[in-house]
Amino acid sequence: MRAALYKQLGSIENIVVEDIASPSAMAGEVVVSVKAAGIAFPDVLTAQGKYQYKPELPFSPGYEFAGVVKEVGEGVTQFKPGDGVLGRGHQGCREELAVNAKQVWKIPAGMDFGVAAGFGMNYATTYHALKDRAEIKPGETLLVLGASGGVGLAAVELGKMIGARVIACASTREKLDTCARFGADELVNYESQDLRAEIKRITGGRGVDVCYDPVGDKYAEPAVRSMAWGGRYLVIGFAAGEIPKIPLNLVLLKGCALVGVFWGDFARREPEKGYRNTEELIRLVAEGKLKPLISAKYPLERTGEALADLLTRKVQGKVVVTVRH
Ligand SMILES: NC(=O)c1ccc[n+]([C@@H]2O[C@H](COP(=O)([O-])OP(=O)(O)OC[C@H]3O[C@@H](n4cnc5c(N)ncnc54)[C@H](OP(=O)(O)O)[C@@H]3O)[C@@H](O)[C@H]2O)c1
């Protein structure tokens, strides 16, 4: 079977496509014939050797995937060959994948495999962040940085679904238009406008109740300075590179909280809650209440290009690799 692989860490240019042996299902596992794999910023960081998780090599990108169950291992009763599934666990960019059955969910018949492969991680991270960590309430103001990106657009859509007033920030007009299509109430171009002044204007000087920050770097401090009394600042990631250093007096003065979000560890430490969250999200997508944006599809041979487009800020929503037709 074919697989996109990196054999050494350091650069996304190290990705090659090669034939490797097919897996078989061990006890508690399913083998999935992969149709599509979702690519996200953690894939870029992993390939560069900058992610908190250092994989054993060779390794395939694609932290999430969708496909059809080919084989079930001993003890697996909830799936059978032919079931359409989505899953997490690593290495989606290979034609067959053996994964723990607890990291796999059934998908409704007819759900597009690209969509199924592309919403799980972003929406589950964001659902956990907004619901479990920030405990956001209808009517609160939600500031989203990097709002047209993978997790960012999920925050815009889920924030609106929960009833928040959403202020979306991005770097271009085109990206902001996408945020508006997903329901954002207010738009700020944080490259050409003064982020703090704009938030002050939009909130009448009150500040925001919740900030969702997957970007970090120079964008973080003005956002912390824009928190309302009792606000919650969600630390999601650092796509812009630098991990910001925030003066803690700001947190004191605003009576606000800096709240860490680490979806992967949450799902490991609280597997049942994590599993239920994803089941709920699958239902919301199937009912058409959430409409995740898959902005580009790449064939397996061009997996490296998908990562390069993320790295150079060309992507909106999610990109997926089509592994098998
Ligand atoms: N905490 C968790 O559990 C968790 C889970 C998933 C992802 N993450 C993290 O969340 C972050 C975003 O992931 P994602 O998959 O949503 O990425 P993405 O789709 O590439 O979105 C990142 C956004 O950041 C903005 N950005 C600003 N400066 C950038 C730069 N120098 N390079 C790239 N992007 C830049 C871009 O928007 P503009 O051009 O509009 O600025 C882009 O839309 C990553 O750090 C990832 O590791 C965390």
PDB file of all heavy atoms in Angstrom, residues 182-213:
ATOM      1  N   PHE A 182     -19.419  32.604   7.803  1.00  0.00           N
ATOM      2  CA  PHE A 182     -19.649  31.637   8.881  1.00  0.00           C
ATOM      3  C   PHE A 182     -20.304  32.286  10.099  1.00  0.00           C
ATOM      4  O   PHE A 182     -20.370  31.680  11.160  1.00  0.00           O
ATOM      5  CB  PHE A 182     -18.339  30.916   9.239  1.00  0.00           C
ATOM      6  CG  PHE A 182     -18.091  29.743   8.334  1.00  0.00           C
ATOM      7  CD1 PHE A 182     -17.714  29.938   7.010  1.00  0.00           C
ATOM      8  CD2 PHE A 182     -18.289  28.449   8.775  1.00  0.00           C
ATOM      9  CE1 PHE A 182     -17.531  28.868   6.158  1.00  0.00           C
ATOM     10  CE2 PHE A 182     -18.104  27.370   7.931  1.00  0.00           C
ATOM     11  CZ  PHE A 182     -17.722  27.581   6.622  1.00  0.00           C
ATOM     12  N   GLY A 183     -20.742  33.532   9.951  1.00  0.00           N
ATOM     13  CA  GLY A 183     -21.596  34.133  10.981  1.00  0.00           C
ATOM     14  C   GLY A 183     -20.944  35.171  11.855  1.00  0.00           C
ATOM     15  O   GLY A 183     -21.607  35.701  12.752  1.00  0.00           O
ATOM     16  N   ALA A 184     -19.635  35.492  11.652  1.00  0.00           N
ATOM     17  CA  ALA A 184     -18.983  36.467  12.536  1.00  0.00           C
ATOM     18  C   ALA A 184     -19.750  37.785  12.525  1.00  0.00           C
ATOM     19  O   ALA A 184     -20.171  38.266  11.470  1.00  0.00           O
ATOM     20  CB  ALA A 184     -17.543  36.682  12.100  1.00  0.00           C
ATOM     21  N   ASP A 185     -19.915  38.386  13.711  1.00  0.00           N
ATOM     22  CA  ASP A 185     -20.673  39.642  13.819  1.00  0.00           C
ATOM     23  C   ASP A 185     -19.803  40.843  13.500  1.00  0.00           C
ATOM     24  O   ASP A 185     -20.282  41.847  12.972  1.00  0.00           O
ATOM     25  CB  ASP A 185     -21.203  39.796  15.252  1.00  0.00           C
ATOM     26  CG  ASP A 185     -22.117  38.648  15.630  1.00  0.00           C
ATOM     27  OD1 ASP A 185     -23.247  38.634  15.136  1.00  0.00           O
ATOM     28  OD2 ASP A 185     -21.684  37.757  16.391  1.00  0.00           O
ATOM     29  N   GLU A 186     -18.522  40.775  13.877  1.00  0.00           N
ATOM     30  CA  GLU A 186     -17.606  41.896  13.680  1.00  0.00           C
ATOM     31  C   GLU A 186     -16.313  41.355  13.086  1.00  0.00           C
ATOM     32  O   GLU A 186     -15.902  40.228  13.403  1.00  0.00           O
ATOM     33  CB  GLU A 186     -17.274  42.582  15.023  1.00  0.00           C
ATOM     34  CG  GLU A 186     -18.483  43.046  15.812  1.00  0.00           C
ATOM     35  CD  GLU A 186     -19.099  44.325  15.257  1.00  0.00           C
ATOM     36  OE1 GLU A 186     -18.464  44.977  14.387  1.00  0.00           O
ATOM     37  OE2 GLU A 186     -20.210  44.684  15.692  1.00  0.00           O
ATOM     38  N   LEU A 187     -15.657  42.169  12.249  1.00  0.00           N
ATOM     39  CA  LEU A 187     -14.438  41.723  11.562  1.00  0.00           C
ATOM     40  C   LEU A 187     -13.313  42.712  11.829  1.00  0.00           C
ATOM     41  O   LEU A 187     -13.522  43.918  11.737  1.00  0.00           O
ATOM     42  CB  LEU A 187     -14.683  41.634  10.057  1.00  0.00           C
ATOM     43  CG  LEU A 187     -15.898  40.793   9.612  1.00  0.00           C
ATOM     44  CD1 LEU A 187     -16.126  40.963   8.108  1.00  0.00           C
ATOM     45  CD2 LEU A 187     -15.687  39.319   9.941  1.00  0.00           C
ATOM     46  N   VAL A 188     -12.118  42.187  12.152  1.00  0.00           N
ATOM     47  CA  VAL A 188     -10.959  43.055  12.343  1.00  0.00           C
ATOM     48  C   VAL A 188      -9.792  42.480  11.545  1.00  0.00           C
ATOM     49  O   VAL A 188      -9.476  41.287  11.672  1.00  0.00           O
ATOM     50  CB  VAL A 188     -10.542  43.141  13.839  1.00  0.00           C
ATOM     51  CG1 VAL A 188      -9.313  44.027  14.004  1.00  0.00           C
ATOM     52  CG2 VAL A 188     -11.694  43.654  14.699  1.00  0.00           C
ATOM     53  N   ASN A 189      -9.173  43.324  10.716  1.00  0.00           N
ATOM     54  CA  ASN A 189      -7.950  42.905  10.039  1.00  0.00           C
ATOM     55  C   ASN A 189      -6.783  43.267  10.954  1.00  0.00           C
ATOM     56  O   ASN A 189      -6.414  44.433  11.074  1.00  0.00           O
ATOM     57  CB  ASN A 189      -7.804  43.607   8.688  1.00  0.00           C
ATOM     58  CG  ASN A 189      -6.578  43.110   7.935  1.00  0.00           C
ATOM     59  OD1 ASN A 189      -5.549  42.806   8.536  1.00  0.00           O
ATOM     60  ND2 ASN A 189      -6.684  43.009   6.627  1.00  0.00           N
ATOM     61  N   TYR A 190      -6.232  42.241  11.643  1.00  0.00           N
ATOM     62  CA  TYR A 190      -5.216  42.543  12.653  1.00  0.00           C
ATOM     63  C   TYR A 190      -3.835  42.822  12.067  1.00  0.00           C
ATOM     64  O   TYR A 190      -2.890  43.038  12.807  1.00  0.00           O
ATOM     65  CB  TYR A 190      -5.185  41.515  13.786  1.00  0.00           C
ATOM     66  CG  TYR A 190      -4.968  40.049  13.424  1.00  0.00           C
ATOM     67  CD1 TYR A 190      -4.456  39.628  12.216  1.00  0.00           C
ATOM     68  CD2 TYR A 190      -5.279  39.060  14.360  1.00  0.00           C
ATOM     69  CE1 TYR A 190      -4.280  38.292  11.930  1.00  0.00           C
ATOM     70  CE2 TYR A 190      -5.100  37.712  14.094  1.00  0.00           C
ATOM     71  CZ  TYR A 190      -4.605  37.339  12.872  1.00  0.00           C
ATOM     72  OH  TYR A 190      -4.412  36.014  12.594  1.00  0.00           O
ATOM     73  N   GLU A 191      -3.717  42.820  10.732  1.00  0.00           N
ATOM     74  CA  GLU A 191      -2.465  43.270  10.108  1.00  0.00           C
ATOM     75  C   GLU A 191      -2.532  44.766   9.798  1.00  0.00           C
ATOM     76  O   GLU A 191      -1.566  45.487   9.965  1.00  0.00           O
ATOM     77  CB  GLU A 191      -2.181  42.493   8.815  1.00  0.00           C
ATOM     78  CG  GLU A 191      -1.831  41.028   9.015  1.00  0.00           C
ATOM     79  CD  GLU A 191      -0.592  40.805   9.892  1.00  0.00           C
ATOM     80  OE1 GLU A 191       0.220  41.726  10.081  1.00  0.00           O
ATOM     81  OE2 GLU A 191      -0.460  39.672  10.411  1.00  0.00           O
ATOM     82  N   SER A 192      -3.688  45.222   9.347  1.00  0.00           N
ATOM     83  CA  SER A 192      -3.771  46.625   8.922  1.00  0.00           C
ATOM     84  C   SER A 192      -4.479  47.522   9.940  1.00  0.00           C
ATOM     85  O   SER A 192      -4.440  48.734   9.832  1.00  0.00           O
ATOM     86  CB  SER A 192      -4.482  46.718   7.566  1.00  0.00           C
ATOM     87  OG  SER A 192      -5.799  46.237   7.689  1.00  0.00           O
ATOM     88  N   GLN A 193      -5.171  46.929  10.934  1.00  0.00           N
ATOM     89  CA  GLN A 193      -5.871  47.751  11.932  1.00  0.00           C
ATOM     90  C   GLN A 193      -5.242  47.532  13.309  1.00  0.00           C
ATOM     91  O   GLN A 193      -4.585  46.502  13.545  1.00  0.00           O
ATOM     92  CB  GLN A 193      -7.357  47.345  11.988  1.00  0.00           C
ATOM     93  CG  GLN A 193      -8.132  47.699  10.728  1.00  0.00           C
ATOM     94  CD  GLN A 193      -9.567  47.210  10.816  1.00  0.00           C
ATOM     95  OE1 GLN A 193      -9.843  46.019  10.738  1.00  0.00           O
ATOM     96  NE2 GLN A 193     -10.492  48.144  10.978  1.00  0.00           N
ATOM     97  N   ASP A 194      -5.481  48.489  14.217  1.00  0.00           N
ATOM     98  CA  ASP A 194      -4.974  48.378  15.588  1.00  0.00           C
ATOM     99  C   ASP A 194      -5.957  47.499  16.370  1.00  0.00           C
ATOM    100  O   ASP A 194      -7.079  47.908  16.659  1.00  0.00           O
ATOM    101  CB  ASP A 194      -4.891  49.799  16.181  1.00  0.00           C
ATOM    102  CG  ASP A 194      -4.404  49.786  17.629  1.00  0.00           C
ATOM    103  OD1 ASP A 194      -4.602  48.780  18.335  1.00  0.00           O
ATOM    104  OD2 ASP A 194      -3.837  50.811  18.044  1.00  0.00           O
ATOM    105  N   LEU A 195      -5.508  46.299  16.688  1.00  0.00           N
ATOM    106  CA  LEU A 195      -6.396  45.293  17.287  1.00  0.00           C
ATOM    107  C   LEU A 195      -7.059  45.814  18.566  1.00  0.00           C
ATOM    108  O   LEU A 195      -8.275  45.729  18.746  1.00  0.00           O
ATOM    109  CB  LEU A 195      -5.577  44.025  17.583  1.00  0.00           C
ATOM    110  CG  LEU A 195      -6.296  42.856  18.244  1.00  0.00           C
ATOM    111  CD1 LEU A 195      -7.468  42.382  17.412  1.00  0.00           C
ATOM    112  CD2 LEU A 195      -5.325  41.691  18.474  1.00  0.00           C
ATOM    113  N   ARG A 196      -6.236  46.423  19.443  1.00  0.00           N
ATOM    114  CA  ARG A 196      -6.767  46.867  20.739  1.00  0.00           C
ATOM    115  C   ARG A 196      -7.791  47.986  20.564  1.00  0.00           C
ATOM    116  O   ARG A 196      -8.869  47.966  21.175  1.00  0.00           O
ATOM    117  CB  ARG A 196      -5.595  47.368  21.585  1.00  0.00           C
ATOM    118  CG  ARG A 196      -5.745  46.921  22.989  1.00  0.00           C
ATOM    119  CD  ARG A 196      -4.574  47.329  23.821  1.00  0.00           C
ATOM    120  NE  ARG A 196      -5.048  47.887  25.067  1.00  0.00           N
ATOM    121  CZ  ARG A 196      -4.384  48.745  25.781  1.00  0.00           C
ATOM    122  NH1 ARG A 196      -3.210  49.180  25.384  1.00  0.00           N
ATOM    123  NH2 ARG A 196      -4.871  49.174  26.912  1.00  0.00           N
ATOM    124  N   ALA A 197      -7.460  48.937  19.683  1.00  0.00           N
ATOM    125  CA  ALA A 197      -8.374  50.072  19.471  1.00  0.00           C
ATOM    126  C   ALA A 197      -9.693  49.582  18.871  1.00  0.00           C
ATOM    127  O   ALA A 197     -10.776  50.052  19.238  1.00  0.00           O
ATOM    128  CB  ALA A 197      -7.713  51.104  18.556  1.00  0.00           C
ATOM    129  N   GLU A 198      -9.599  48.632  17.955  1.00  0.00           N
ATOM    130  CA  GLU A 198     -10.817  48.112  17.309  1.00  0.00           C
ATOM    131  C   GLU A 198     -11.713  47.396  18.313  1.00  0.00           C
ATOM    132  O   GLU A 198     -12.935  47.555  18.307  1.00  0.00           O
ATOM    133  CB  GLU A 198     -10.443  47.162  16.162  1.00  0.00           C
ATOM    134  CG  GLU A 198     -10.011  47.864  14.894  1.00  0.00           C
ATOM    135  CD  GLU A 198     -11.057  48.860  14.404  1.00  0.00           C
ATOM    136  OE1 GLU A 198     -12.195  48.457  14.130  1.00  0.00           O
ATOM    137  OE2 GLU A 198     -10.734  50.061  14.327  1.00  0.00           O
ATOM    138  N   ILE A 199     -11.094  46.606  19.196  1.00  0.00           N
ATOM    139  CA  ILE A 199     -11.913  45.858  20.172  1.00  0.00           C
ATOM    140  C   ILE A 199     -12.560  46.845  21.150  1.00  0.00           C
ATOM    141  O   ILE A 199     -13.725  46.692  21.530  1.00  0.00           O
ATOM    142  CB  ILE A 199     -11.072  44.795  20.899  1.00  0.00           C
ATOM    143  CG1 ILE A 199     -10.629  43.736  19.881  1.00  0.00           C
ATOM    144  CG2 ILE A 199     -11.879  44.118  22.004  1.00  0.00           C
ATOM    145  CD1 ILE A 199      -9.628  42.771  20.384  1.00  0.00           C
ATOM    146  N   LYS A 200     -11.793  47.857  21.516  1.00  0.00           N
ATOM    147  CA  LYS A 200     -12.331  48.893  22.410  1.00  0.00           C
ATOM    148  C   LYS A 200     -13.572  49.543  21.768  1.00  0.00           C
ATOM    149  O   LYS A 200     -14.610  49.707  22.397  1.00  0.00           O
ATOM    150  CB  LYS A 200     -11.242  49.945  22.638  1.00  0.00           C
ATOM    151  CG  LYS A 200     -11.369  50.688  23.924  1.00  0.00           C
ATOM    152  CD  LYS A 200     -10.080  51.461  24.149  1.00  0.00           C
ATOM    153  CE  LYS A 200     -10.083  52.048  25.543  1.00  0.00           C
ATOM    154  NZ  LYS A 200      -8.871  52.747  25.849  1.00  0.00           N
ATOM    155  N   ARG A 201     -13.419  49.865  20.487  1.00  0.00           N
ATOM    156  CA  ARG A 201     -14.524  50.509  19.762  1.00  0.00           C
ATOM    157  C   ARG A 201     -15.741  49.572  19.680  1.00  0.00           C
ATOM    158  O   ARG A 201     -16.858  49.951  20.028  1.00  0.00           O
ATOM    159  CB  ARG A 201     -14.058  50.882  18.345  1.00  0.00           C
ATOM    160  CG  ARG A 201     -15.110  51.580  17.490  1.00  0.00           C
ATOM    161  CD  ARG A 201     -14.650  51.791  16.056  1.00  0.00           C
ATOM    162  NE  ARG A 201     -14.386  50.562  15.323  1.00  0.00           N
ATOM    163  CZ  ARG A 201     -15.317  49.749  14.831  1.00  0.00           C
ATOM    164  NH1 ARG A 201     -16.600  50.030  14.983  1.00  0.00           N
ATOM    165  NH2 ARG A 201     -14.984  48.645  14.180  1.00  0.00           N
ATOM    166  N   ILE A 202     -15.471  48.324  19.288  1.00  0.00           N
ATOM    167  CA  ILE A 202     -16.579  47.374  19.058  1.00  0.00           C
ATOM    168  C   ILE A 202     -17.317  47.055  20.360  1.00  0.00           C
ATOM    169  O   ILE A 202     -18.538  46.897  20.385  1.00  0.00           O
ATOM    170  CB  ILE A 202     -16.027  46.072  18.412  1.00  0.00           C
ATOM    171  CG1 ILE A 202     -15.561  46.346  16.979  1.00  0.00           C
ATOM    172  CG2 ILE A 202     -17.055  44.948  18.432  1.00  0.00           C
ATOM    173  CD1 ILE A 202     -14.705  45.247  16.369  1.00  0.00           C
ATOM    174  N   THR A 203     -16.559  46.957  21.474  1.00  0.00           N
ATOM    175  CA  THR A 203     -17.210  46.549  22.746  1.00  0.00           C
ATOM    176  C   THR A 203     -17.562  47.753  23.621  1.00  0.00           C
ATOM    177  O   THR A 203     -17.911  47.588  24.795  1.00  0.00           O
ATOM    178  CB  THR A 203     -16.294  45.589  23.550  1.00  0.00           C
ATOM    179  OG1 THR A 203     -15.076  46.301  23.888  1.00  0.00           O
ATOM    180  CG2 THR A 203     -15.943  44.344  22.773  1.00  0.00           C
ATOM    181  N   GLY A 204     -17.427  48.960  23.080  1.00  0.00           N
ATOM    182  CA  GLY A 204     -17.742  50.153  23.861  1.00  0.00           C
ATOM    183  C   GLY A 204     -16.836  50.294  25.085  1.00  0.00           C
ATOM    184  O   GLY A 204     -17.274  50.777  26.131  1.00  0.00           O
ATOM    185  N   GLY A 205     -15.603  49.800  24.976  1.00  0.00           N
ATOM    186  CA  GLY A 205     -14.626  49.932  26.064  1.00  0.00           C
ATOM    187  C   GLY A 205     -14.692  48.819  27.096  1.00  0.00           C
ATOM    188  O   GLY A 205     -13.849  48.733  27.990  1.00  0.00           O
ATOM    189  N   ARG A 206     -15.650  47.921  26.967  1.00  0.00           N
ATOM    190  CA  ARG A 206     -15.832  46.867  27.985  1.00  0.00           C
ATOM    191  C   ARG A 206     -14.829  45.717  27.862  1.00  0.00           C
ATOM    192  O   ARG A 206     -14.437  45.099  28.827  1.00  0.00           O
ATOM    193  CB  ARG A 206     -17.265  46.322  27.849  1.00  0.00           C
ATOM    194  CG  ARG A 206     -17.621  45.316  28.908  1.00  0.00           C
ATOM    195  CD  ARG A 206     -19.020  44.749  28.711  1.00  0.00           C
ATOM    196  NE  ARG A 206     -19.205  43.620  29.594  1.00  0.00           N
ATOM    197  CZ  ARG A 206     -18.824  42.392  29.298  1.00  0.00           C
ATOM    198  NH1 ARG A 206     -18.282  42.118  28.130  1.00  0.00           N
ATOM    199  NH2 ARG A 206     -18.992  41.403  30.171  1.00  0.00           N
ATOM    200  N   GLY A 207     -14.417  45.415  26.637  1.00  0.00           N
ATOM    201  CA  GLY A 207     -13.523  44.271  26.409  1.00  0.00           C
ATOM    202  C   GLY A 207     -14.312  43.003  26.108  1.00  0.00           C
ATOM    203  O   GLY A 207     -15.548  43.020  26.091  1.00  0.00           O
ATOM    204  N   VAL A 208     -13.574  41.902  25.867  1.00  0.00           N
ATOM    205  CA  VAL A 208     -14.241  40.647  25.472  1.00  0.00           C
ATOM    206  C   VAL A 208     -14.260  39.658  26.631  1.00  0.00           C
ATOM    207  O   VAL A 208     -13.363  39.642  27.466  1.00  0.00           O
ATOM    208  CB  VAL A 208     -13.538  40.001  24.244  1.00  0.00           C
ATOM    209  CG1 VAL A 208     -13.621  40.930  23.040  1.00  0.00           C
ATOM    210  CG2 VAL A 208     -12.089  39.635  24.538  1.00  0.00           C
ATOM    211  N   ASP A 209     -15.297  38.823  26.653  1.00  0.00           N
ATOM    212  CA  ASP A 209     -15.431  37.840  27.734  1.00  0.00           C
ATOM    213  C   ASP A 209     -14.511  36.638  27.519  1.00  0.00           C
ATOM    214  O   ASP A 209     -13.960  36.090  28.463  1.00  0.00           O
ATOM    215  CB  ASP A 209     -16.888  37.349  27.809  1.00  0.00           C
ATOM    216  CG  ASP A 209     -17.841  38.486  28.103  1.00  0.00           C
ATOM    217  OD1 ASP A 209     -17.686  39.108  29.168  1.00  0.00           O
ATOM    218  OD2 ASP A 209     -18.712  38.778  27.253  1.00  0.00           O
ATOM    219  N   VAL A 210     -14.397  36.224  26.253  1.00  0.00           N
ATOM    220  CA  VAL A 210     -13.576  35.045  25.952  1.00  0.00           C
ATOM    221  C   VAL A 210     -12.707  35.370  24.739  1.00  0.00           C
ATOM    222  O   VAL A 210     -13.191  35.951  23.764  1.00  0.00           O
ATOM    223  CB  VAL A 210     -14.466  33.802  25.647  1.00  0.00           C
ATOM    224  CG1 VAL A 210     -13.604  32.601  25.262  1.00  0.00           C
ATOM    225  CG2 VAL A 210     -15.346  33.453  26.845  1.00  0.00           C
ATOM    226  N   CYS A 211     -11.418  35.014  24.831  1.00  0.00           N
ATOM    227  CA  CYS A 211     -10.544  35.127  23.654  1.00  0.00           C
ATOM    228  C   CYS A 211     -10.056  33.731  23.287  1.00  0.00           C
ATOM    229  O   CYS A 211      -9.595  32.979  24.151  1.00  0.00           O
ATOM    230  CB  CYS A 211      -9.351  36.035  23.941  1.00  0.00           C
ATOM    231  SG  CYS A 211      -8.166  36.037  22.567  1.00  0.00           S
ATOM    232  N   TYR A 212     -10.146  33.393  21.997  1.00  0.00           N
ATOM    233  CA  TYR A 212      -9.709  32.091  21.477  1.00  0.00           C
ATOM    234  C   TYR A 212      -8.465  32.354  20.648  1.00  0.00           C
ATOM    235  O   TYR A 212      -8.544  32.972  19.583  1.00  0.00           O
ATOM    236  CB  TYR A 212     -10.851  31.509  20.625  1.00  0.00           C
ATOM    237  CG  TYR A 212     -10.613  30.120  20.101  1.00  0.00           C
ATOM    238  CD1 TYR A 212     -11.066  29.007  20.808  1.00  0.00           C
ATOM    239  CD2 TYR A 212      -9.952  29.907  18.902  1.00  0.00           C
ATOM    240  CE1 TYR A 212     -10.861  27.719  20.327  1.00  0.00           C
ATOM    241  CE2 TYR A 212      -9.747  28.628  18.420  1.00  0.00           C
ATOM    242  CZ  TYR A 212     -10.210  27.543  19.142  1.00  0.00           C
ATOM    243  OH  TYR A 212     -10.005  26.268  18.659  1.00  0.00           O
ATOM    244  N   ASP A 213      -7.293  31.914  21.144  1.00  0.00           N
ATOM    245  CA  ASP A 213      -6.028  32.305  20.507  1.00  0.00           C
ATOM    246  C   ASP A 213      -5.197  31.112  20.013  1.00  0.00           C
ATOM    247  O   ASP A 213      -4.422  30.534  20.777  1.00  0.00           O
ATOM    248  CB  ASP A 213      -5.191  33.137  21.491  1.00  0.00           C
ATOM    249  CG  ASP A 213      -3.855  33.544  20.865  1.00  0.00           C
ATOM    250  OD1 ASP A 213      -3.672  33.340  19.647  1.00  0.00           O
ATOM    251  OD2 ASP A 213      -2.988  34.044  21.604  1.00  0.00           O
TER     252      ASP A 213
END
